[in-house]
Amino acid sequence: MKSEQGSALVLVMFIVLLLTILGLAVLGATIGGAQRSETRESDVQSLHLAQKGLNEAAAYIQSELKGLQLEDIDPESLGVILAKLDDNKSSLKVATELQSTSMGSVDGIKYDDTKDKKIKNQSIQYTINISSKAVVNGVERTLRQQVIIDSYPDFLKYVFGSEKTLRLNGAPVLKGNVYAGDKLLVTNTPWYTYLGHRYPEVTLDFPTVMSNADGSAPGEVHVQAMSNIKYKENFQPKESILSEDQEDTMTSLPETESARNDLLTKILHMNPANIKIKEKNKFVQINVEESFFDKLAQGLSSSKDEITQKSLRNSMRGEYNKGIADLNSWIIGRSEVTHIQGMPVAPDKVLPDAEEAVLEQYQKDLEIYNEKLQQLENLDSTVVFNGNLVVDGLDYKKLFYREGPSHEIDPKSGSMPRWFIVAGNLEINNFKPDFLPVRANILVTGNVKIKGNVKFDSTLLVLGDTTVEDANIRGIQGNDLETKELVLISKGKVLINRLHAFAVNEPSAEETMEAFFYTDSSGELYGVGSMFHLIGGFFAKDNLTVHAVKGNVMEPLPDNAGRLIINQANAPERFVIDYKPDIYENQQSSLPRVQTVNVNVGPMQLVN
């Protein structure tokens, strides 16, 4: 027993030691955990503070651009503005309530001109790298972010769209991205007008939105919210009421995601993931009137001086506000540029047996007349045509600015583009097999009408209405072997009708229009009796509606007047628009300035 004396004490001491070690371990873990928690909290706080710095920098960029009131920004000068943003980075406040233990700052707002996207030496997309640093309780974090700014109108990014309500009725095929600034209303009931009567036609199919031919526009639909999309299947409205007046009978999308996706696939034939939310205030608009004045001032003066340009714009704006007649008189009275005094009048023919002096005078008058007719065939400077102009391939055989040996000195597409100004109406019609070429930047104070076979490399700004009727519009191939197009921007309505009326086969590539149309008004397009195929796009500032079917359409027999005979099938597709991505590149120098710029903020990146 004596040998066992003291063993209990040893055991107790061992247990005490073990508990002490465990206690110290727990205490150490607790203290370490607290320290790690504090460090982690400081890490999170520093990240949040650095993120706040990025947000401050991005907001500063947007406020600076907005503060400049860039209603009509010149893309060429935007880079100069962006380069100065870094000068005021120190004025941006980046702080939290932990003033004594935290510090944040915007490290840089650097404009990187090496990453500019350029077209013919002029930037159209700009890159700014912003960085922010924050320190909280000794924990330092640095974040950076890329901001992309572009300065071209948003309407050129869409194959079809409206800043207000967009209505897709029936079975149009839209290859590219679509925009609805207010509501998107979809039905399988197109309307058409025949012999003065309006009829609805329930189709077997809904609209199709898909990628364009080269995949550059993936077939997205941009709306303000999912709740802004409504639809109606087998719509049977009263014939006495226009379909546009019955939105209240349409149905919103389902609440559940799976049901909503199934419906979107059905009514738009698209991947529901391609429905994108784009806020209306981020849409880059244009001002047609101010764009017209800007280009008119550019054409009338060779000076780039902004004071001179602004003075001209103010003068013409004042005359325009009085009325088109006053604006025409003001333009006709400008002495800085060449004028053509209206349509030339052919001399009266004389008989072969007329007196020699009479014959000689007739030949002189005929030579002068022919010289006047050739005035439009080799233009190289701004010209004002006083009065209404008809280019029909008979008298005037073309309207053509020669292509310069280099881009910079090209009078049509160079850095200082020249303009052909019509102080009146313009009609271009040509029903001969050979296409009539039009290569010019054109301003028209009145209305425009285009008929027949015409080839364009042209930006056309119109203060009146536009009518395209029985027209086959193609693009001119330039010296760079690129096929150009027509970009027509109209203050008034754009009416396009009677294209391949009641055709059985879809138009060939040679018969497909190449153009982009924009109207400041509303628009209504049809692919029912007509066969509407377009490479380019169509956009309206006001409401835009399309009505289309698939299949063959025939006129009723004379003894059975009334509705059209519509044999619905998968083909031919009677309304197809395929977005052309290089429109901006081809017409860039003559396109409108924008009212604001588009600011896209990229994802944040952790530097350290």
Side-chain angles (χ1 to χ4, degrees):
M1 295 292 293
K2 291 183 179 180
S3 62
E4 296 180 4
Q5 290 179 358
S7 62
L9 178 61
V10 172
L11 179 61
V12 170
M13 293 180 65
F14 177 76
I15 293 172
V16 170
L17 177 61
L18 182 62
L19 291 175
T20 302
I21 293 172
L22 289 174
L24 290 173
V26 171
L27 180 62
T30 302
I31 295 173
Q35 290 175 337
R36 286 191 297 272
S37 295
E38 184 179 354
T39 302
R40 176 58 182 163
E41 183 178 351
S42 298
D43 187 29
V44 171
Q45 288 178 344
S46 62
L47 283 173
H48 286 171
L49 189 56
Q51 181 179 351
K52 184 177 180 181
L54 293 183
N55 294 339
E56 287 288 336
Y60 166 68
I61 293 171
Q62 292 178 318
S63 66
E64 284 296 294
L65 295 178
K66 183 179 179 180
L68 290 171
Q69 298 181 345
L70 304 175
E71 281 84 2
D72 299 284
I73 188 169
D74 181 359
E76 196 171 345
S77 63
L78 183 55
V80 178
I81 298 171
L82 299 180
K84 296 179 180 178
L85 294 176
D86 193 58
D87 297 342
N88 295 321
K89 64 184 179 184
S90 59
S91 65
L92 301 180
K93 303 299 181 183
V94 185
T96 68
E97 296 178 356
L98 307 173
Q99 297 290 343
S100 60
T101 59
S102 67
M103 180 181 66
S105 64
V106 175
D107 269 7
I109 308 175
K110 300 292 187 180
Y111 165 51
D112 188 354
D113 58 359
T114 64
K115 294 183 179 179
D116 282 3
K117 179 180 177 182
K118 297 186 176 183
I119 293 178
K120 297 174 181 175
N121 299 322
Q122 181 166 314
S123 297
I124 62 167
Q125 184 171 290
Y126 309 81
T127 299
I128 296 178
N129 295 312
I130 57 178
S131 58
S132 175
K133 181 171 65 177
V135 180
V136 175
N137 295 323
V139 179
E140 179 179 317
R141 286 291 179 262
T142 301
L143 294 176
R144 67 185 177 196
Q145 195 170 40
Q146 196 171 79
V147 177
I148 304 296
I149 297 173
D150 65 58
S151 60
Y152 48 98
D154 261 354
F155 78 87
L156 286 172
K157 302 173 185 176
Y158 296 98
V159 66
F160 204 67
S162 164
E163 289 190 39
K164 293 189 177 179
T165 295
L166 181 65
R167 293 178 172 88
L168 307 179
N169 297 324
V173 178
L174 304 174
K175 300 180 180 181
N177 297 336
V178 173
Y179 179 80
D182 188 2
K183 296 174 183 177
L184 174 61
L185 308 180
V186 183
T187 78
N188 63 337
T189 306
W191 289 69
Y192 66 90
T193 302
Y194 182 69
L195 298 179
H197 295 281
R198 192 164 174 83
Y199 304 98
E201 177 77 21
V202 175
T203 59
L204 300 175
D205 207 355
F206 278 96
T208 298
V209 179
M210 58 189 294
S211 171
N212 66 331
D214 68 0
S216 59
E220 297 177 349
V221 174
H222 294 182
V223 294
Q224 306 305 302
M226 285 293 186
S227 60
N228 286 27
I229 303 176
K230 292 185 176 181
Y231 76 101
K232 189 74 172 182
E233 187 171 9
N234 300 330
F235 199 20
Q236 291 283 8
K238 297 177 182 178
E239 293 187 8
S240 60
I241 303 176
L242 296 181
S243 61
E244 289 82 350
D245 298 331
Q246 300 183 57
E247 179 192 330
D248 55 348
T249 68
M250 305 183 78
T251 305
S252 299
L253 297 179
E255 294 277 340
T256 62
E257 184 177 356
S258 60
R260 183 169 64 242
N261 289 347
D262 290 343
L263 184 63
L264 287 170
T265 301
K266 176 181 179 179
I267 67 173
L268 292 171
H269 293 90
M270 62 178 294
N271 183 348
N274 279 347
I275 300 288
K276 306 293 184 182
I277 305 302
K278 177 164 183 172
E279 298 175 22
K280 185 180 293 188
N281 60 5
K282 292 184 179 179
F283 186 87
V284 181
Q285 299 176 317
I286 66 167
N287 184 321
V288 174
E289 290 178 1
E290 290 302 320
S291 296
F292 189 96
F293 300 148
D294 179 57
K295 303 307 180 184
L296 182 55
Q298 185 184 81
L300 292 177
S301 174
S302 59
S303 171
K304 277 190 172 184
D305 177 61
E306 182 56 28
I307 296 177
T308 302
Q309 293 284 308
K310 185 175 181 180
S311 175
L312 281 171
R313 290 196 296 269
N314 289 339
S315 296
M316 62 185 69
R317 189 182 298 111
E319 298 300 322
Y320 174 75
N321 290 336
K322 297 177 187 176
I324 289 295
D326 292 274
L327 177 62
N328 286 341
S329 298
W330 183 88
I331 293 172
I332 292 172
R334 306 303 299 185
S335 60
E336 306 98 317
V337 294
T338 303
H339 288 255
I340 297 177
Q341 303 298 331
M343 297 287 293
V345 178
D348 294 331
K349 290 185 178 181
V350 297
L351 296 174
D353 58 353
E355 295 181 5
E356 184 176 351
V358 174
L359 288 172
E360 288 180 359
Q361 186 60 47
Y362 171 74
Q363 288 299 324
K364 290 180 180 178
D365 293 342
L366 187 61
E367 288 177 8
I368 294 173
Y369 172 71
N370 288 329
E371 287 176 1
K372 289 181 178 180
L373 291 180
Q374 294 173 9
Q375 283 179 296
L376 305 190
E377 296 187 9
N378 192 24
L379 299 164
D380 60 5
S381 62
T382 293
V383 172
V384 173
F385 193 92
N386 300 340
N388 299 332
L389 170 62
V390 178
V391 182
D392 59 5
L394 299 174
D395 294 328
Y396 287 122
K397 293 180 171 56
K398 62 170 68 173
L399 176 51
F400 206 84
Y401 277 76
R402 59 174 177 77
E403 192 162 358
S406 68
H407 162 71
E408 286 300 319
I409 56 176
D410 188 327
K412 190 267 170 190
S413 299
S415 57
M416 283 292 290
R418 302 294 87 193
W419 290 85
F420 188 87
I421 303 163
V422 180
N425 300 324
L426 170 63
E427 180 175 338
I428 302 173
N429 64 70
N430 172 50
F431 291 100
K432 297 188 298 183
D434 294 335
F435 280 75
L436 186 152
V438 176
R439 185 180 191 271
N441 302 316
I442 306 173
L443 300 171
V444 180
T445 63
N447 301 323
V448 166
K449 181 178 288 187
I450 302 173
K451 302 173 70 174
N453 299 319
V454 189
K455 278 190 174 183
F456 282 96
D457 175 6
S458 178
T459 297
L460 210 164
L461 272 71
V462 186
L463 288 180
D465 295 331
T466 297
T467 302
V468 179
E469 188 173 86
D470 288 328
N472 187 7
I473 296 175
R474 300 292 298 160
I476 291 176
Q477 189 177 73
N479 290 343
D480 56 5
L481 303 182
E482 294 290 331
T483 300
K484 314 302 183 182
E485 63 287 303
L486 166 68
V487 175
L488 192 149
I489 299 170
S490 182
K491 175 68 177 174
K493 287 182 175 291
V494 175
L495 175 64
I496 304 177
N497 56 27
R498 296 184 61 80
L499 300 174
H500 308 287
F502 304 109
V504 175
N505 299 314
E506 294 184 14
S508 65
E510 291 72 24
E511 297 171 323
T512 300
M513 286 198 300
E514 290 183 290
F516 200 109
F517 298 97
Y518 174 94
T519 173
D520 236 10
S521 183
S522 58
E524 193 162 20
L525 303 177
Y526 294 87
V528 182
S530 298
M531 191 83 76
F532 188 109
H533 280 226
L534 173 67
I535 297 175
F538 195 105
F539 202 98
K541 191 178 186 70
D542 209 326
N543 298 332
L544 179 60
T545 302
V546 58
H547 308 272
V549 301
K550 293 179 182 178
N552 289 319
V553 179
M554 296 178 289
E555 293 183 278
L557 298 174
D559 57 348
N560 189 27
R563 302 169 69 99
L564 297 175
I565 301 171
I566 301 176
N567 298 315
Q568 294 190 43
N570 290 330
E573 296 170 337
R574 306 193 73 86
F575 189 99
V576 180
I577 305 183
D578 189 354
Y579 177 69
K580 186 175 183 182
D582 49 2
I583 286 178
Y584 190 88
E585 180 174 350
N586 292 339
Q587 305 297 330
Q588 181 261 340
S589 64
S590 51
L591 289 174
R593 301 184 186 189
V594 297
Q595 291 182 305
T596 183
V597 292
N598 204 1
V599 180
N600 299 295
V601 180
M604 288 179 287
Q605 296 176 323
L606 178 64
V607 178
N608 68 342

